[in-house]
Amino acid sequence: MKNFTSFADAGDYKALLQQALEIKANPYGYQHIGKNKTVGLIFFNPSLRTRLSSVKAAYNLGAQAWVLNAGADSWTLEMADGAVMNGGTQEHIKEAIAVMSQYCDVLGVRTFPTLKDREADYSEEVFNKILKYATVPVISLESATLHPLQSFADLITVAETKQKERVKVVLTWAPHVRALPQCVPNSFCDWFSEVDWVDFVITHPEGYELDPKFTKGARIEYDQKKALEGTDFVQAKNWSSYQDYGQVISNDPSWMLTPEHMDGTNDAKFLHCLPVRRNVEVSDAILDSPNSLVIQEAGNRVFSMQTVLHELLK
Ligand code: CP
């Protein structure tokens, strides 16, 4: 593993998953890997789980960690090549990333999409600059299009919870009050469409189709009830339109998951990456039910990061 930005970087996902389960069973057993190593974490956007689980993962591995809130704690960074920097930006990403690379052995970066310029977002314009200027391995803490640490944590959660060899997993769109990125659902598709013990189905209102590059031919079922029939796991998430880029084209409240939606499932376990808008995306009754795995899922963010750090630092 050279960098960790997508499912493709995971290499042999079964081996990586097995490694994660072993690390979870013995979280302090690999401290020699992180000895005298530093993990740098740069956030251009807010975070609770990614920030704290990444620091905890570094500590578990015997490494040190520093966190920078780019822009807020540092100089305002210029992203454009060839910019005449006579405006509000004070330091170019070129120097900033090259300098910060000298202060760590692996660099995690969070850069959200604009949701305005699909071409710039889907070409990972900003993240690719970071990959270009970094001189150490880079981990995506959520880029413009993907959130691989979240999907890896989701995979760990499903693998350790499932009661049978093959399982059905459904990704369902959920309503929201704001336009959100497609990173989490893109990434969920990027990973779960590849897992050979998962029957994967995506459900959303028409117009919310994700980039086929990530859905990779997975079954799309527009009837949410039909999609949920017999499912073992359901992951709910809002996203804005990919086609009508960044727009909220429907906010149908009937898509909010309630216990009635779970009637036709195989007593499905519930997943959500968090943060979640209660009683907008999902009802209290789902989140507070014994079938909700959201806290366990967030806990597994430590082990997805710790496993990736282990691979990059070993
Ligand atoms: N799920 C997730 O990435 O949470 P944060 O945005 O709080 O890091």
Side-chain angles (χ1 to χ4, degrees), residues 43 46-51 110 112 141-142 147 150 184 273-275 301:
F43 288 86
S47 166
L48 187 155
R49 277 144 291 274
T50 307
R51 176 185 311 248
R110 169 168 280 198
F112 281 178
L141 305 177
E142 192 167 348
H147 195 358
Q150 180 63 56
V184 169
C273 65
L274 304 179
R301 291 295 306 276

mmCIF file of all heavy atoms in Angstrom, residues 43 46-51 110 112 141-142 147 150 184 273-275 301, ligand 1:
data_model
loop_
_atom_site.group_PDB
_atom_site.id
_atom_site.type_symbol
_atom_site.label_atom_id
_atom_site.label_comp_id
_atom_site.label_asym_id
_atom_site.label_seq_id
_atom_site.Cartn_x
_atom_site.Cartn_y
_atom_site.Cartn_z
ATOM 1 N N PHE A 43 -7.170 18.939 8.359
ATOM 2 C CA PHE A 43 -8.616 19.039 8.106
ATOM 3 C C PHE A 43 -8.947 20.391 7.485
ATOM 4 O O PHE A 43 -8.736 21.429 8.109
ATOM 5 C CB PHE A 43 -9.406 18.853 9.415
ATOM 6 C CG PHE A 43 -9.396 17.433 9.901
ATOM 7 C CD1 PHE A 43 -8.359 16.953 10.686
ATOM 8 C CD2 PHE A 43 -10.408 16.556 9.545
ATOM 9 C CE1 PHE A 43 -8.332 15.639 11.111
ATOM 10 C CE2 PHE A 43 -10.394 15.232 9.962
ATOM 11 C CZ PHE A 43 -9.344 14.768 10.753
ATOM 12 N N PRO A 46 -14.909 20.298 8.907
ATOM 13 C CA PRO A 46 -15.178 19.789 10.268
ATOM 14 C C PRO A 46 -15.155 18.267 10.343
ATOM 15 O O PRO A 46 -15.343 17.576 9.343
ATOM 16 C CB PRO A 46 -16.595 20.300 10.563
ATOM 17 C CG PRO A 46 -16.865 21.367 9.572
ATOM 18 C CD PRO A 46 -16.043 21.048 8.356
ATOM 19 N N SER A 47 -14.945 17.766 11.554
ATOM 20 C CA SER A 47 -14.961 16.319 11.792
ATOM 21 C C SER A 47 -15.021 16.052 13.282
ATOM 22 O O SER A 47 -14.422 16.781 14.078
ATOM 23 C CB SER A 47 -13.682 15.686 11.236
ATOM 24 O OG SER A 47 -13.524 14.369 11.723
ATOM 25 N N LEU A 48 -15.709 15.004 13.657
ATOM 26 C CA LEU A 48 -15.654 14.483 15.023
ATOM 27 C C LEU A 48 -14.948 13.115 14.993
ATOM 28 O O LEU A 48 -13.853 12.946 15.494
ATOM 29 C CB LEU A 48 -17.063 14.361 15.611
ATOM 30 C CG LEU A 48 -17.178 13.975 17.091
ATOM 31 C CD1 LEU A 48 -18.499 14.461 17.697
ATOM 32 C CD2 LEU A 48 -17.065 12.480 17.333
ATOM 33 N N ARG A 49 -15.588 12.149 14.310
ATOM 34 C CA ARG A 49 -15.100 10.772 14.300
ATOM 35 C C ARG A 49 -13.732 10.631 13.631
ATOM 36 O O ARG A 49 -12.835 9.973 14.170
ATOM 37 C CB ARG A 49 -16.096 9.837 13.566
ATOM 38 C CG ARG A 49 -17.248 9.363 14.415
ATOM 39 C CD ARG A 49 -18.500 9.265 13.572
ATOM 40 N NE ARG A 49 -18.907 10.612 13.221
ATOM 41 C CZ ARG A 49 -19.675 11.375 14.006
ATOM 42 N NH1 ARG A 49 -20.141 10.899 15.114
ATOM 43 N NH2 ARG A 49 -19.975 12.619 13.660
ATOM 44 N N THR A 50 -13.597 11.202 12.457
ATOM 45 C CA THR A 50 -12.364 10.977 11.687
ATOM 46 C C THR A 50 -11.159 11.534 12.435
ATOM 47 O O THR A 50 -10.106 10.909 12.525
ATOM 48 C CB THR A 50 -12.502 11.614 10.300
ATOM 49 O OG1 THR A 50 -13.702 11.108 9.709
ATOM 50 C CG2 THR A 50 -11.326 11.292 9.411
ATOM 51 N N ARG A 51 -11.348 12.722 12.983
ATOM 52 C CA ARG A 51 -10.271 13.369 13.732
ATOM 53 C C ARG A 51 -9.870 12.530 14.954
ATOM 54 O O ARG A 51 -8.708 12.175 15.135
ATOM 55 C CB ARG A 51 -10.772 14.749 14.195
ATOM 56 C CG ARG A 51 -9.820 15.522 15.060
ATOM 57 C CD ARG A 51 -10.523 16.780 15.527
ATOM 58 N NE ARG A 51 -11.142 17.458 14.401
ATOM 59 C CZ ARG A 51 -10.740 18.632 13.919
ATOM 60 N NH1 ARG A 51 -9.747 19.256 14.471
ATOM 61 N NH2 ARG A 51 -11.349 19.173 12.893
ATOM 62 N N ARG A 110 -8.356 15.738 4.890
ATOM 63 C CA ARG A 110 -9.795 15.831 4.574
ATOM 64 C C ARG A 110 -10.040 17.069 3.724
ATOM 65 O O ARG A 110 -9.719 18.189 4.144
ATOM 66 C CB ARG A 110 -10.637 15.888 5.849
ATOM 67 C CG ARG A 110 -12.091 16.244 5.584
ATOM 68 C CD ARG A 110 -12.999 16.023 6.780
ATOM 69 N NE ARG A 110 -13.365 14.609 6.904
ATOM 70 C CZ ARG A 110 -14.397 14.159 7.623
ATOM 71 N NH1 ARG A 110 -15.162 15.016 8.287
ATOM 72 N NH2 ARG A 110 -14.654 12.880 7.694
ATOM 73 N N PHE A 112 -13.329 18.372 1.433
ATOM 74 C CA PHE A 112 -14.683 18.143 0.904
ATOM 75 C C PHE A 112 -14.828 18.722 -0.510
ATOM 76 O O PHE A 112 -14.051 19.591 -0.909
ATOM 77 C CB PHE A 112 -15.718 18.814 1.812
ATOM 78 C CG PHE A 112 -16.043 18.031 3.069
ATOM 79 C CD1 PHE A 112 -16.931 18.558 4.001
ATOM 80 C CD2 PHE A 112 -15.485 16.789 3.311
ATOM 81 C CE1 PHE A 112 -17.244 17.863 5.154
ATOM 82 C CE2 PHE A 112 -15.785 16.076 4.473
ATOM 83 C CZ PHE A 112 -16.679 16.623 5.395
ATOM 84 N N LEU A 141 -8.910 11.246 4.421
ATOM 85 C CA LEU A 141 -9.804 11.358 5.580
ATOM 86 C C LEU A 141 -11.194 11.802 5.102
ATOM 87 O O LEU A 141 -12.012 12.245 5.893
ATOM 88 C CB LEU A 141 -9.243 12.360 6.590
ATOM 89 C CG LEU A 141 -7.813 12.101 7.096
ATOM 90 C CD1 LEU A 141 -7.369 13.219 8.030
ATOM 91 C CD2 LEU A 141 -7.719 10.752 7.801
ATOM 92 N N GLU A 142 -11.442 11.691 3.824
ATOM 93 C CA GLU A 142 -12.621 12.025 3.031
ATOM 94 C C GLU A 142 -12.204 13.087 2.033
ATOM 95 O O GLU A 142 -11.826 14.201 2.408
ATOM 96 C CB GLU A 142 -13.826 12.518 3.861
ATOM 97 C CG GLU A 142 -15.099 12.573 3.028
ATOM 98 C CD GLU A 142 -16.382 12.744 3.849
ATOM 99 O OE1 GLU A 142 -16.375 12.598 5.090
ATOM 100 O OE2 GLU A 142 -17.416 13.025 3.221
ATOM 101 N N HIS A 147 -14.808 8.320 0.802
ATOM 102 C CA HIS A 147 -14.501 8.285 2.237
ATOM 103 C C HIS A 147 -14.117 6.845 2.589
ATOM 104 O O HIS A 147 -14.877 6.121 3.247
ATOM 105 C CB HIS A 147 -15.728 8.739 3.021
ATOM 106 C CG HIS A 147 -15.455 9.080 4.457
ATOM 107 N ND1 HIS A 147 -14.205 8.962 5.041
ATOM 108 C CD2 HIS A 147 -16.290 9.535 5.436
ATOM 109 C CE1 HIS A 147 -14.286 9.326 6.316
ATOM 110 N NE2 HIS A 147 -15.537 9.685 6.579
ATOM 111 N N GLN A 150 -14.244 5.240 6.178
ATOM 112 C CA GLN A 150 -15.602 4.968 6.659
ATOM 113 C C GLN A 150 -16.092 3.630 6.096
ATOM 114 O O GLN A 150 -16.622 2.794 6.834
ATOM 115 C CB GLN A 150 -16.543 6.100 6.237
ATOM 116 C CG GLN A 150 -17.973 5.901 6.703
ATOM 117 C CD GLN A 150 -18.094 5.893 8.222
ATOM 118 O OE1 GLN A 150 -17.672 6.843 8.868
ATOM 119 N NE2 GLN A 150 -18.680 4.841 8.788
ATOM 120 N N VAL A 184 -19.661 9.486 0.913
ATOM 121 C CA VAL A 184 -19.939 8.272 1.705
ATOM 122 C C VAL A 184 -20.659 7.220 0.857
ATOM 123 O O VAL A 184 -20.216 6.062 0.808
ATOM 124 C CB VAL A 184 -20.698 8.617 3.005
ATOM 125 C CG1 VAL A 184 -21.220 7.353 3.680
ATOM 126 C CG2 VAL A 184 -19.789 9.391 3.950
ATOM 127 N N CYS A 273 -23.095 6.350 8.901
ATOM 128 C CA CYS A 273 -21.724 6.805 9.190
ATOM 129 C C CYS A 273 -21.674 7.838 10.308
ATOM 130 O O CYS A 273 -20.622 8.034 10.916
ATOM 131 C CB CYS A 273 -21.097 7.365 7.928
ATOM 132 S SG CYS A 273 -21.907 8.857 7.311
ATOM 133 N N LEU A 274 -22.780 8.505 10.595
ATOM 134 C CA LEU A 274 -22.860 9.620 11.533
ATOM 135 C C LEU A 274 -22.019 10.810 11.041
ATOM 136 O O LEU A 274 -21.015 10.573 10.379
ATOM 137 C CB LEU A 274 -22.458 9.222 12.954
ATOM 138 C CG LEU A 274 -23.227 8.053 13.576
ATOM 139 C CD1 LEU A 274 -22.679 7.763 14.991
ATOM 140 C CD2 LEU A 274 -24.732 8.309 13.619
ATOM 141 N N PRO A 275 -22.344 12.054 11.326
ATOM 142 C CA PRO A 275 -23.485 12.435 12.145
ATOM 143 C C PRO A 275 -24.813 12.221 11.405
ATOM 144 O O PRO A 275 -24.846 12.271 10.189
ATOM 145 C CB PRO A 275 -23.246 13.938 12.381
ATOM 146 C CG PRO A 275 -22.471 14.387 11.176
ATOM 147 C CD PRO A 275 -21.602 13.234 10.806
ATOM 148 N N ARG A 301 -14.035 2.889 13.359
ATOM 149 C CA ARG A 301 -13.203 3.870 12.652
ATOM 150 C C ARG A 301 -11.767 3.847 13.209
ATOM 151 O O ARG A 301 -10.815 4.121 12.487
ATOM 152 C CB ARG A 301 -13.823 5.273 12.761
ATOM 153 C CG ARG A 301 -15.133 5.448 11.991
ATOM 154 C CD ARG A 301 -14.909 5.325 10.499
ATOM 155 N NE ARG A 301 -13.868 6.240 10.070
ATOM 156 C CZ ARG A 301 -14.067 7.539 9.782
ATOM 157 N NH1 ARG A 301 -15.285 8.033 9.829
ATOM 158 N NH2 ARG A 301 -13.069 8.319 9.416
HETATM 159 N N1 CP B 1 -18.394 9.667 9.680
HETATM 160 C C1 CP B 1 -17.476 10.659 9.740
HETATM 161 O O1 CP B 1 -16.542 10.753 8.905
HETATM 162 O O2 CP B 1 -17.652 11.501 10.779
HETATM 163 P P1 CP B 1 -16.924 12.899 10.966
HETATM 164 O O3 CP B 1 -17.343 13.776 9.793
HETATM 165 O O4 CP B 1 -17.405 13.422 12.284
HETATM 166 O O5 CP B 1 -15.449 12.692 10.931
#
